[in-house]
């Protein structure tokens, strides 16, 4: 019981894709780079929100909604934008 309450709770972070190294690459690139446990729930491209899948191509200013351990948020901000 004690362990369950001490585990970090997942939270969401929304980020704009600004890293030129990610633009034109599949979403899978983020998973390959970070090797953390997280979920990309949605991607907004051209004001259209879609469920994310690892084959989706990232574009500049796409908005990604990530569910992850808040301790990893800084890593996402550094990689994505």
């Amino acid at each position: 019981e004690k362990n369950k309450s001490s585990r970090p709770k997942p939270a969401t972070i929304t980020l704009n894709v600004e890293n030129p190294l990610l633009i034109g690459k599949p979403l899978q690139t983020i998973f390959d780079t970070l090797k953390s446990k997280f979920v990309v729930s949605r991607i907004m491209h051209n004001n259209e929100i879609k469920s994310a899948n690892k084959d989706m191509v990232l574009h500049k200013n796409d908005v990604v909604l990530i569910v992850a351990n808040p301790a990893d948020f800084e890593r996402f901000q550094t990689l994505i934008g």
Side-chain angles (χ1 to χ4, degrees):
E1 190 87 17
K2 204 175 197 180
N3 282 344
K4 284 185 180 179
S5 63
S6 66
R7 281 190 210 153
K9 294 187 176 170
T12 60
I13 185 171
T14 304
L15 296 168
N16 288 339
V17 177
E18 295 175 4
N19 182 343
L21 298 175
L22 290 178
I23 295 167
K25 300 281 173 70
L27 181 60
Q28 178 67 46
T29 306
I30 296 173
F31 290 89
D32 294 344
T33 304
L34 292 180
K35 297 181 177 19
S36 297
K37 290 186 178 182
F38 64 95
V39 173
V40 178
S41 174
R42 303 282 185 270
I43 295 181
M44 184 168 70
H45 176 69
N46 290 337
N47 292 320
E48 187 178 341
I49 299 172
K50 296 182 178 182
S51 294
N53 70 61
K54 293 180 181 181
D55 296 325
M56 292 180 101
V57 174
L58 297 166
H59 300 89
K60 184 167 177 56
N61 296 320
D62 280 357
V63 179
V64 293
L65 174 65
I66 297 170
V67 181
N69 180 338
D72 292 331
F73 283 3
E74 189 173 330
R75 294 173 66 209
F76 290 110
Q77 290 170 323
T78 300
L79 175 65
I80 297 169

